[in-house]
């Protein structure tokens, strides 16, 4: 039996919702699972991935088998990796969710969604990417005492997204190391008040709130110095008509949000603007990904 799992990319933090909010977008990693007589891991698209037991899809699948006390058979895994790695679009979370869903289906769907989400979070460390990857839409999540509390809402389908991906990586470890160990009470309130507006801005058609809802003082000011050209990209996206601009996940991708009614004009202006920025401040090139929200989440066939 062959099992195919498809998992969307995710854009976490959304400016003000540091480590608590994330949304899924229409860019996918896929993995096929088959039993084999030996471990066989490959990439259908030629992406360089670990081919042994350190592979994150494999490790996540084995973690589920271990949790339920079963021995995992040798597997043939074939991955297609459309989500750029180390760019703030949830590539690690996609691998974790793929491994868990593939293993769960092999075992007859022994874990429910809540159990899968809790196990995924224990592997990833925080739920802001794994929750929307599994559930789709906009997910608000808390990980407390080994339990994940998550609420999913569908993102307004009249919005579109532009992921502006630079040619350099930003590892999560480096992005986290740049953050201060303490923040002021004033900055905490600043973010909390804006994060409370995110569901209305993204899910209830309150596009007038998008810009203010995605403002942040907890992580973006500290990470953007590690992202050459990011300030210029922010400014360019706003000039092109973006309703909101924020650092996706830990970076290095910048995400811009616009209205679909103006999508073609927005994307066209953005492409031309990014050409002017190439070679600026250590970034040789940007890739523009035209995306929509994914309100379905991961699927298993």
């Amino acid at each position: 039996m062959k099992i195919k799992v498809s998992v969307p990319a995710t854009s976490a933090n959304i400016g003000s919702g540091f480590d608590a909010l994330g949304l899924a977008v229409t860019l996918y990693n896929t993995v096929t699972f088959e039993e084999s007589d030996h471990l066989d891991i490959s990439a259908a698209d030629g992406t360089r991935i670990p081919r042994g037991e350190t592979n994150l899809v494999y490790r996540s699948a084995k973690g589920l088998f271990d949790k339920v006390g079963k021995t995992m058979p040798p597997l043939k895994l074939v991955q297609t990796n459309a989500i750029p790695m180390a760019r703030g679009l949830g590539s690690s979370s996609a691998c974790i969710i793929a491994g868990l869903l593939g293993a769960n289906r092999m075992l007859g769907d022994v874990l429910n969604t809540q159990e899968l989400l809790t196990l995924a979070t224990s592997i990833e460390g925080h739920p802001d990417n794994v929750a929307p990857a599994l559930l789709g839409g906009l997910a608000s999540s808390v990980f407390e005492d080994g339990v994940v509390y998550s609420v999913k809402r569908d993102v307004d389908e009249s919005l579109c997204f532009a992921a502006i991906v630079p040619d350099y990586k930003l590892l999560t470890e480096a992005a986290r190391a740049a953050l201060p160990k303490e923040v002021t009470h004033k900055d905490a309130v600043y973010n909390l008040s804006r994060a409370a507006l995110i569901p209305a801005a993204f899910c209830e058609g309150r596009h007038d709130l998008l810009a203010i809802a995605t403002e942040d003082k907890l992580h973006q000011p500290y990470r953007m110095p590690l992202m050459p050209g990011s300030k210029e990209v922010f400014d360019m996206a706003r000039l092109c008509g973006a309703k909101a601009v924020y650092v996706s996940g830990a970076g290095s991708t910048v995400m811009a949000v616009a209205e679909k009614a103006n999508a073609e004009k927005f994307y066209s202006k953005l492409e031309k603007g990014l050409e002017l920025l190439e070679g600026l401040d250590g970034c040789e090139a940007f890739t523009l990904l035209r995306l929509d929200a994914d309100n379905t989440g991961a699927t298993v066939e």
Side-chain angles (χ1 to χ4, degrees):
M1 177 179 66
K2 181 184 289 188
I3 297 167
K4 180 180 179 181
V5 182
S6 179
V7 187
T10 48
S11 183
N13 298 327
I14 317 178
S16 57
F18 179 62
D19 272 6
L21 296 174
L23 57 84
V25 291
T26 52
L27 180 69
Y28 302 91
N29 278 7
T30 60
V31 185
T32 59
F33 294 72
E34 289 182 274
E35 291 192 27
S36 179
D37 57 1
H38 66 283
L39 179 60
D40 180 3
I41 302 175
S42 63
D45 56 1
T47 303
R48 294 184 63 181
I49 58 172
R51 304 290 177 115
E53 294 184 2
T54 61
N55 180 281
L56 187 54
V57 175
Y58 176 87
R59 287 194 286 118
S60 301
K62 188 173 186 305
L64 194 153
F65 271 83
D66 291 344
K67 179 179 175 62
V68 300
K70 301 289 186 179
T71 299
M72 188 167 74
L75 294 178
K76 178 181 180 181
L77 303 177
V78 180
Q79 298 180 220
T80 303
N81 303 278
I83 304 172
M85 297 180 184
R87 298 297 201 281
L89 289 169
S91 62
S92 294
S93 293
C95 289
I96 291 168
I97 294 298
L100 294 180
L101 287 178
N104 199 47
R105 180 57 54 89
M106 290 177 69
L107 289 163
D109 294 326
V110 292
L111 299 189
N112 61 31
T113 299
Q114 177 63 40
E115 291 167 329
L116 287 168
L117 183 55
T118 298
L119 183 54
T121 303
S122 69
I123 297 170
E124 175 71 354
H126 41 88
D128 52 338
N129 280 116
V130 293
L134 180 62
L135 305 173
L138 173 74
S140 309
S141 308
V142 176
F143 188 37
E144 184 74 24
D145 296 328
V147 179
V148 178
Y149 303 91
S150 187
V151 176
K152 173 247 177 152
R153 300 184 67 175
D154 285 351
V155 175
D156 181 357
E157 293 185 357
S158 69
L159 294 176
C160 62
F161 297 81
I164 301 158
V165 186
D167 62 357
Y168 58 84
K169 296 180 179 181
L170 179 55
L171 297 177
T172 301
E173 293 82 359
R176 286 199 172 270
L179 302 181
K181 296 188 182 302
E182 296 181 354
V183 298
T184 66
H185 185 272
K186 182 179 180 181
D187 284 352
V189 172
Y190 181 97
N191 268 58
L192 282 169
S193 61
R194 283 154 178 77
L197 299 177
I198 291 237
F202 281 85
C203 304
E204 297 175 10
R206 289 296 306 274
H207 300 172
D208 57 309
L209 299 177
L210 285 165
I212 192 169
T214 51
E215 292 176 343
D216 162 74
K217 289 191 176 181
L218 297 187
H219 67 106
Q220 292 185 163
Y222 306 102
R223 287 171 166 171
M224 287 178 69
L226 304 178
M227 298 169 52
S230 58
K231 181 182 182 302
E232 290 79 7
V233 169
F234 265 62
D235 294 340
M236 178 65 70
R238 288 173 177 140
L239 285 172
C240 293
K243 291 289 185 178
V245 190
Y246 62 90
V247 175
S248 184
S252 55
T253 294
V254 171
M255 188 70 78
V257 188
E259 294 174 328
K260 278 187 182 177
N262 305 313
E264 286 308 313
K265 183 178 180 180
F266 168 65
Y267 287 132
S268 178
K269 291 174 68 175
L270 194 53
E271 282 181 339
K272 293 176 182 177
L274 291 174
E275 288 177 2
L276 299 176
L277 297 182
E278 291 184 353
L280 176 72
D281 195 23
C283 182
E284 294 302 320
F286 297 95
T287 299
L288 174 62
L289 302 176
R290 303 183 180 201
L291 306 170
D292 293 322
D294 179 306
N295 287 320
T296 301
T299 59
V300 186
E301 299 175 13

